Amino acid sequence: MSTFLDDVDSRPGSTTSLLRTVIGLYLRDAGGWLPASAFLRLMEALDVPAAVTRTALSRLKKKAVLDALPRDGVAGYALTPGAGTMLSRGDSRIFAPQAMADGDPWCLVSFSIPEAEREKRHQLRRRLHWTGCGTVAAGLWIAPAFRRAEIEEVLEGLGLREQATLFITDTPMPGGYPDGGGLRDAAARWWDLDSVAALHHDFIREWDAFREASAGDVSPPSAGAFAAYVRCIDSWRVIPYLDPGLPPEFLPRDWPGKEGFAVFEHIRGIHSGPSAEFVRTVAAQGAGSTLEA
């Protein structure tokens, strides 16, 4: 779970975030291993110097994301089993974000953690936030019921399952219900929807122009196409963790979530193939290198 938090906490555009995005997109498709020289060349395409990439790779070794593993005399890095689980979870979030329909069930999380364990309480709140939960009260959080398994994993990981109770319930009835604005007002209190909407708007503003410029174009497997695609994924990947996937009746009428995902999907459809081909070419060239990371 700490590996997961490191992943979502990485600032989009930073060396760490870009490297994690490259790992998530391509390392499993490469059989879980890439030559060190391939990592250096791929990050150079993202304007990251080799020395900075080496430092980032070393940090990910310490975080148990990568293992240094030579093959046939070639220096390289392999994905750890724990990191593989994290990336699989990320795939569903990033590429197929879920959303509730009106009337779908909810999961309520009630917990009481003593002051002696306040650090665990802090970590629990932080992890529930990144799971997409909203805060009804200090010890009562809410999320779509389809997040139950992730919430259970958070609680188990912190050793707090015995101190929490989960309820699967129908639509909550906050003050103002069934007034048309009651549910939207409640959602705005429980989640920071303004911040999530701003993330969507920023993504749309930055990448819709790129989508329009590349409309009808299938980019060749070049370093430039690879870099643009990776930066797009890196900009997007945190948003589905923070967007709780609320049903329409809980959201502002001008909610930008569908538009943001449409932009993301369009760019992915055009550029994922050429980018993957570029990585395969770089990996094949690196397999014959003895460059040390």
Side-chain angles (χ1 to χ4, degrees):
M1 183 60 68
S2 61
T3 301
F4 156 71
L5 285 175
D6 289 336
D7 189 49
V8 294
D9 275 348
S10 301
R11 177 175 54 84
S14 67
T15 297
T16 299
S17 185
L18 290 170
L19 180 55
R20 284 178 177 271
T21 299
V22 168
I23 289 169
L25 285 172
Y26 302 114
L27 191 51
R28 287 167 294 172
D29 288 343
W33 181 89
L34 278 174
S37 60
F39 278 109
L40 298 183
R41 185 175 172 194
L42 292 173
M43 293 300 288
E44 284 174 355
L46 293 161
D47 299 320
V48 178
V52 177
T53 298
R54 289 189 178 97
T55 299
L57 287 166
S58 295
R59 288 174 179 164
L60 291 185
K61 282 172 55 183
K62 293 178 181 177
K63 294 288 187 180
V65 175
L66 297 174
D67 283 329
L69 184 67
R71 285 188 180 177
D72 300 323
V74 177
Y77 291 91
L79 194 66
T80 65
T85 300
M86 175 196 71
L87 294 176
S88 295
R89 182 192 298 112
D91 286 346
S92 62
R93 283 278 193 163
I94 295 167
F95 300 113
Q98 291 179 271
M100 296 178 70
D102 292 341
D104 281 355
W106 297 82
C107 179
L108 294 177
V109 189
S110 175
F111 57 86
S112 179
I113 301 171
E115 183 63 18
E117 295 184 281
R118 60 182 178 274
E119 179 56 29
K120 280 191 175 183
R121 185 172 60 208
H122 168 73
Q123 289 299 320
L124 175 59
R125 290 171 177 167
R126 183 167 173 246
R127 295 177 190 193
L128 289 176
H129 168 73
W130 277 110
T131 304
C133 294
T135 311
V136 179
L140 182 63
W141 290 57
I142 186 170
F146 57 69
R147 295 289 175 226
R148 175 182 172 179
E150 289 183 52
I151 293 168
E152 293 267 17
E153 185 177 348
V154 166
L155 291 166
E156 293 287 354
L158 288 170
L160 295 175
R161 186 61 186 89
E162 296 301 315
Q163 293 165 264
T165 302
L166 273 58
F167 302 88
I168 303 301
T169 182
D170 292 332
T171 302
M173 299 177 68
Y177 184 89
D179 184 303
L183 295 177
R184 291 189 173 92
D185 291 343
R189 293 194 304 269
W190 299 341
W191 287 272
D192 187 356
L193 294 180
D194 287 343
S195 293
V196 177
L199 290 174
H200 278 294
H201 284 304
D202 288 345
F203 180 83
I204 293 165
R205 188 162 42 248
E206 179 178 5
W207 291 102
D208 195 37
F210 179 76
R211 177 181 69 164
E212 293 299 328
S214 60
D217 171 51
V218 178
S219 300
S222 67
F226 160 81
Y229 179 64
V230 169
R231 289 190 181 278
C232 175
I233 301 297
D234 191 60
S235 296
W236 168 260
R237 70 184 180 89
V238 172
I239 298 175
Y241 283 97
L242 294 174
D243 187 333
L246 301 182
E249 63 180 336
F250 274 73
L251 292 169
R253 291 179 176 84
D254 59 350
W255 185 249
K258 286 186 178 180
E259 183 182 359
F261 186 63
V263 171
F264 168 76
E265 278 286 270
H266 186 88
I267 293 174
R268 181 187 175 204
I270 293 175
H271 297 285
S272 60
S275 297
E277 181 60 32
F278 175 76
V279 174
R280 285 191 287 268
T281 300
V282 170
Q285 293 171 346
S289 171
T290 57
L291 179 63
E292 294 292 335

